[in-house]
Amino acid sequence: MDRYEVRDALLATGMSPDAFELEGVHEHVPVPPDFWFLRRSAGQRWEIGAYERGRYDVRLVFDTEEEACAGLWRALTGRPAPAS
């Protein structure tokens, strides 16, 4: 699952588009007060976390985009990522 697929899957569950941000795929203007994010980190890794009150709080770091997408899916839905 990549960022495009996780976006489509999250929206298909009925999740609010304001609940998450995916670097380069699903970004906010203006920025909501809180949401979960997925973005590249230093060294070609990927991180997920929560944005609240103007601060990014990185919760987990992954080696691949696929792992990060699965991690974000689990964080937001509480379920294993759907098979690609």
Side-chain angles (χ1 to χ4, degrees):
M1 175 180 293
D2 66 15
R3 289 171 288 159
Y4 295 92
E5 292 167 324
V6 77
R7 176 201 56 201
D8 294 346
L10 288 169
L11 293 174
T13 70
M15 186 165 295
S16 168
D18 288 344
F20 60 95
E21 181 173 279
L22 310 172
E23 179 181 290
V25 174
H26 182 84
E27 298 178 348
H28 302 291
V29 177
V31 175
D34 58 3
F35 55 87
W36 276 81
F37 65 87
L38 181 152
R39 66 184 183 191
R40 288 183 180 95
S41 66
Q44 302 302 317
R45 298 185 79 194
W46 294 84
E47 54 193 26
I48 65 170
Y51 175 89
E52 296 177 292
R53 299 183 187 114
R55 301 187 74 197
Y56 287 92
D57 178 17
V58 175
R59 306 280 173 91
L60 295 166
V61 179
F62 300 90
D63 290 329
T64 68
E65 178 182 355
E66 183 176 340
E67 291 170 333
C69 288
L72 181 67
W73 173 266
R74 279 190 306 276
L76 291 174
T77 68
R79 301 185 308 235
S84 297

